[in-house]
Amino acid sequence: MSNCVLFTVLLIKVSVSVLKKYKDVEGVVKMEEVNGEELVKRFAEEMEEMLGRKMKSVKVSIHSFEYYNSMLINTVDENGNPLPLGGEFLLEPNEHFNKLPVNTQQSNIQVPTNVYNRDPDILNGVYMSEALNDVFIENFQKDPTLTWQYFGSSTGFFRLYPGIQWIPDENGVSTFDCRNRNWYIQAATSPKDVVIVVDVSGSMKGLRLTIAKHTINTILDTLGENDFVNIIAYSDYVRYVEPCFKGTLVQADLDNREHFKLLIDGIHVKGEGKVKNAMKESFRILNEVCQGSLCNQAIMLITDGAMEDFQDVFEEFNWPERRVRVFTYLIGREMTFAENVKWIACNNKGYYTHISTLADVQENVMEYLHVLSRPMVINHDHDIIWTEAYMDSVAQSLLLMTSVAMPVFSKKKETLSHGILLGVVGTDVALKELMRLAPRYKLGVHGYAFLITNNGYILSHPDLRPLYKEGKKLKPKPNYNSVDLSEAEWEDTEEKLRTAMVKGDTGTLSLDVRTSVDKGVIISLFFFWVLLGYGQYIFIGNVSVEDGLHDLLAPDLTIASEWTYCETDIDPAHRKLSQRQAVVQYLTGKEPDLKCDVQLLEQTLFDAVVTAPMEAYWTALMLNTSGIDEGIETAFLGTRSGLMRFQSLFLSLHRSFLTSTDKENMFTLDHFPVWYRRAAEYPAGQFLYYMPRQDIRGTVEEIPLLSKHTHSQNTLFPLFPAMFSRLTNERLPEVQHHESMCVCLCVYYLRVSLFDYQAMCKMHSHSVSNARPLLSVRTSWPLSFSLSASAHKKKGDILQPCDTEYPSFVYEPSVKETNSIIKCGRCQKMFVVQQIPESNLLMLVVQADCDCSRQHCDRMRSQKIRRRPESCHAYHPQENADDCGGASFISLSASIFFMCLTFSALFS
C-alpha cells in the first residue's frame, strides 16, 4: 500500500474517531459569535487597569553615611576585608527576575565610574532616598508582577530594587548613567524642538573637533521620539549636515539620530567661523516650522569662540519673549571668548558650559535638561510618562520592556524659583505581560493584538522582529524600537488603521490585509481589525471537571506553556509550577486561590475530552507496527485552547518537530502553530503538504534540499480539531542544484509582492559612506535559504537596517506552469515554476540572488501623523533664569561688547 493511500485511510479513521466523540458531547456545545469591538474594549480596560497599578507604584514621596554600592558588594581586598561601601549582601536566584541573583529585601546603589561615589551630593541623595526601600518592597508585595523599580538621581546615582551585583564591563568600569536613559529624560522634560549649531571653522581642528562631535552625539542621546531636531554646521557659510533635512525639523527617533551620528563622524573643518548667519537660520527653522513638538524650543551652540556682533539677531528673532532658549558649549581649554559665549546663553534663558576634555562632555550636556525641567518643577506638575519599547539591559536579557516614570522635585519654598529636579522614579513593565491580557484563544487562529505609541511606533506586534543574528549571538537591531505600524501592517497604504489608533478613535474598521503565515513564505487573505478572520465564532463546551482532568493528564497531551491558564506569578510559591501543573492544582482544589481563566479552562477540558480517543488509537498503532508504513513518523493535533496531542509512531526516530526550540510549530504568545494556521484556511477534507522551516535552514551549498531520505514532509488534513501527521519524503523526486541556480520542491502559490521594513542587509564596510542607504531593494525568495552561492558573511561585511521588497505566494491552483523575470534596479533574475500533479506541490527553479540599493529623501523627510503629548511645560513666570552657568545675568552693552572683541583680537 502506498504512503498516500495508507495515510488517507489513517486520517479518515482518526477523523471518524474524533467526530464520534464530538457527537457524544454535542448536546452541551454552543457556538458564540465573538464581538470584536467588545473584545478590544475589554482588553484595553484590563491593560489600563494593569498599567494603573504600575503608575501607582511610582507615585511615592521622598524623604558620615554608608550604603551598599552594587559594584562593590560581596567583594574583598587582598587581605580578605570587605571593600568600603561593599560588605555582605545576600543574593538569591529569582525566577521572576530572569533567574538573576537578587535581594528582594533591599535595594542598592549604582554609581557611574566617572562620578565620585563619596561625593557629598551623592551621599546626601542616597540618604534622602533610603526611605524608598520600604516603598519598593511594599509595592512588590501588593503587585508581584512588578519587575525593576528604581530612582535615578540628578546627581548621577541609581537606586535599584531588588538589589543586584552590578557587573562592570571588560575594562572594569560602569558606564551606565541613569540620567542618559530615556525614562529619565522624558520624565524630566517636556517635548522639545532642538537645532544643534556646530562650528566647523579651521580653529576647531584636532581635539576640539573630537570633543564637538562627542558633544553632539551626547545631545542626540538625550532626545526621544517626542522630540524634533536638526543640525547646522557653519564656517564661512551655513550648511545642513543632511541636505535632505534643509529648512525643517525631523523626529528624533532612533533611525534619524543614528543617521545624524554617521554624518557628524565625517565632518571636516575649514575657513573662518561666522555664527551670525547660522543663528538666523536656526531661528527661522524654529519660528516657521509647522511640525515638531511645538513645546520647548532650544538652540545648542557648540563653538570655540564667538567674535561677531550677534546681538541684533536675538533682538530680531527672540527678544523680549525669549521663547527659544540658547545653550552654549565652549570647546577647548582657551577661555578668551568665554564671556561672549556665556552672554549668549544668559540673555536667552539658556545655560553656558565649558568643555575642555572628553570627560567633561557628559556632565555638561546634562545641565540643559535641568534648565528645561524648571517650569515643570516650579509648577509641581507631576507628569507620568511611558517610554517606547527597549531591551532590558539591566536584567541582561532580550525581553522587550517599557518604563513608567515621573519626576521628583524639591519642594523647598526658598529654592522654588530655581526649579530643582531631584531625580526620576520609575518601574519597568515587560510587554509580554501586557500581551497576556489579550489571550490567543479569544482572538482565533489569525487574530492578534498589538500596542503602539502616540507616535505610531510599535510596542508589541507579532510581526515586530527586534533582533537579528550575528554569528551565534542575537542582537537588537539598531532601529528595533522605532518601527512604525505602517511598516508591519504594510497594506494599510492609506494609513486608516494607523491614523485611527494614533488619534485614539474607538469602533470597528474593516481592511483587506495580506499577512504572512510562515514568515513571508506563505500568506493568506483575511480581514477585520484585531479579529482577523477564523476567530468570529467560538465553541463553548461543558464537560465535568472529573472527566476533563482525567483526559488532561494523558501522557500524549500538552498545553501551551506560554499561555496564562492560571496566573503563577502573583504568589512566589507558584512560580515554579508549569501551566499544566497549576491547572491541575486549581481544579483539584489544592490551590483554590490561584487566579485562573475559567473560560479557557472550560475550553481546554472540553478539547481534552473530545480528543481523548486519539491516545488509545495511536497506542494501538504503535503496538501493531506491521500496519504502519515506515514513511509515517509522527501524528499530532492541536485545538484552539492551546492543547496539543502528538505521538511518535516510531520511537527510534529522532523527533526534531514540535520541540520547545521550534517556536513556529508551537502555541506561543505571538501565534498559533504554522501548521494549524495553514490547515485552518484550507478546504476541509483535502490534503495539504507543508515543509517545516527548520528543514531548510541551510544554504544551497550546505545541504541538498529535500534530497532522498534527508528531510521530512508534513501532510496536513484540516478538520475539528486540526490534526496532522508527518511523513518522510521517500517517494518525492530528488532535487538538483547548480552554483548558478537552485531547484526545490515547494507548495503551489501565486507570486505577490511583500515588503519588509525591518530587514537587515549586508553592506561592504569599504563602501559605507557617511549617509547610509535607507532603502535597499533586495529580492528574497519564499523559502528561508540563501539562493546565492556566496551567501556566507564575508569579512568586512556589516549588517545595517534596510527596506526590502520580496515575492511571496498565495495559493493558486489554476496556474499549472509559469516563468518570469524579476527586475531589481539594473539586476534581474529568472524563475520557472511547474506544478506536480495530484498535489499542492510545485517545482521551482531560480537563478542566483541580486541586490541593489538607493536612497530616498522623501521617505527620510516624511512626517507621519502622531499625537503630541497632552502636557507642555515650556514657561513659568517665576523661573529664575539668572542661573545660567556659574554667572549672574550679564547685560552686554554695545561698548563693552566691542571692547571684548578688541581684547579677543589682541590675543587671537
Side-chain angles (χ1 to χ4, degrees), residues 473-492:
K473 290 185 177 181
L474 283 173
K475 294 185 176 182
K477 294 178 181 176
N479 57 340
Y480 74 91
N481 61 357
S482 57
V483 178
D484 194 88
L485 179 63
S486 61
E487 297 175 351
E489 303 289 341
W490 55 270
E491 282 207 339
D492 183 24

Side-chain angles (χ1 to χ4, degrees), residues 44 132 184 291 472 497 503 636 696 737 795 819 855:
L132 279 175
Y184 184 100
Q291 291 180 328
K472 294 183 178 180
L497 174 61
K503 288 183 175 180
F636 53 96
I696 52 174
H737 70 272
K795 187 176 181 180
N819 62 79
Q855 290 188 25

Side-chain angles (χ1 to χ4, degrees), residues 545-559 578 580-581 583-584 587 604-605 607-619 637 642-647 655:
V545 172
E546 291 76 14
D547 289 345
L549 264 177
H550 175 271
D551 293 327
L552 192 66
L553 295 173
D556 70 323
L557 184 147
T558 64
I559 59 177
S578 69
R580 186 158 77 159
Q581 289 171 336
V583 169
V584 172
L587 293 176
T604 306
L605 293 180
D607 290 348
V609 170
V610 171
T611 62
M614 295 310 306
E615 181 186 7
Y617 182 72
W618 284 337
T619 301
L637 64 85
L643 178 148
M644 285 181 61
R645 290 183 184 270
F646 60 93
Q647 181 67 58
R655 290 194 309 184

Side-chain angles (χ1 to χ4, degrees), residues 333-388:
R333 298 186 181 279
E334 181 61 57
M335 296 290 292
T336 303
F337 300 104
E339 288 301 312
N340 294 0
V341 177
K342 190 184 301 181
W343 181 90
I344 295 174
C346 292
N347 281 272
N348 291 280
K349 295 176 66 176
Y351 201 88
Y352 155 81
T353 58
H354 178 216
I355 305 178
S356 58
T357 68
L358 285 170
D360 297 336
V361 172
Q362 184 66 52
E363 287 294 321
N364 286 311
V365 166
M366 298 306 296
E367 290 292 343
Y368 96 86
L369 293 173
H370 298 152
V371 174
L372 290 186
S373 71
R374 286 175 185 167
M376 182 192 299
V377 176
I378 296 170
N379 201 37
H380 284 176
D381 194 340
H382 292 63
D383 288 345
I384 296 179
I385 61 95
W386 289 87
T387 68
E388 64 265 32

Side-chain angles (χ1 to χ4, degrees), residues 793-805:
K793 186 176 179 181
K794 298 177 181 178
K795 187 176 181 180
D797 286 355
I798 59 175
L799 293 173
Q800 291 195 5
C802 60
D803 300 338
T804 66
E805 178 183 358

Side-chain angles (χ1 to χ4, degrees), residues 723-776:
M723 180 177 306
F724 322 103
S725 285
R726 186 179 186 189
L727 316 182
T728 58
N729 62 328
E730 182 177 285
R731 300 182 185 277
L732 296 177
E734 293 190 45
V735 172
Q736 306 294 325
H737 70 272
H738 187 271
E739 64 180 16
S740 63
M741 66 177 62
C742 70
V743 184
C744 66
L745 286 172
C746 50
V747 287
Y748 193 54
Y749 288 83
L750 181 68
R751 179 188 181 278
V752 296
S753 289
L754 291 180
F755 300 90
D756 185 355
Y757 298 106
Q758 303 176 60
M760 298 290 288
C761 298
K762 294 175 185 176
M763 307 281 289
H764 292 295
S765 58
H766 66 269
S767 66
V768 177
S769 64
N770 291 331
R772 67 172 175 82
L774 291 187
L775 182 64
S776 175

Side-chain angles (χ1 to χ4, degrees), residues 13-80:
K13 288 181 179 179
V14 167
S15 175
V16 171
S17 176
V18 173
L19 291 176
K20 182 178 182 299
K21 185 65 176 181
Y22 173 71
K23 286 288 184 183
D24 293 341
V25 296
E26 189 175 16
V28 295
V29 175
K30 60 180 179 178
M31 184 185 296
E32 291 185 357
E33 185 171 0
V34 178
N35 186 315
E37 187 174 0
E38 287 298 317
L39 193 62
V40 173
K41 183 179 179 181
R42 187 160 65 251
F43 289 163
E45 289 172 350
E46 291 174 354
M47 289 184 181
E48 187 175 13
E49 180 184 349
M50 177 185 178
L51 296 178
R53 294 198 304 270
K54 309 304 180 188
M55 289 191 286
K56 286 180 182 178
S57 69
V58 302
K59 290 183 177 179
V60 294
S61 297
I62 301 294
H63 298 279
S64 152
F65 175 69
E66 293 290 313
Y67 64 90
Y68 283 110
N69 186 305
S70 59
M71 286 188 64
L72 303 175
I73 57 173
N74 301 332
T75 55
V76 296
D77 60 20
E78 60 274 12
N79 299 320

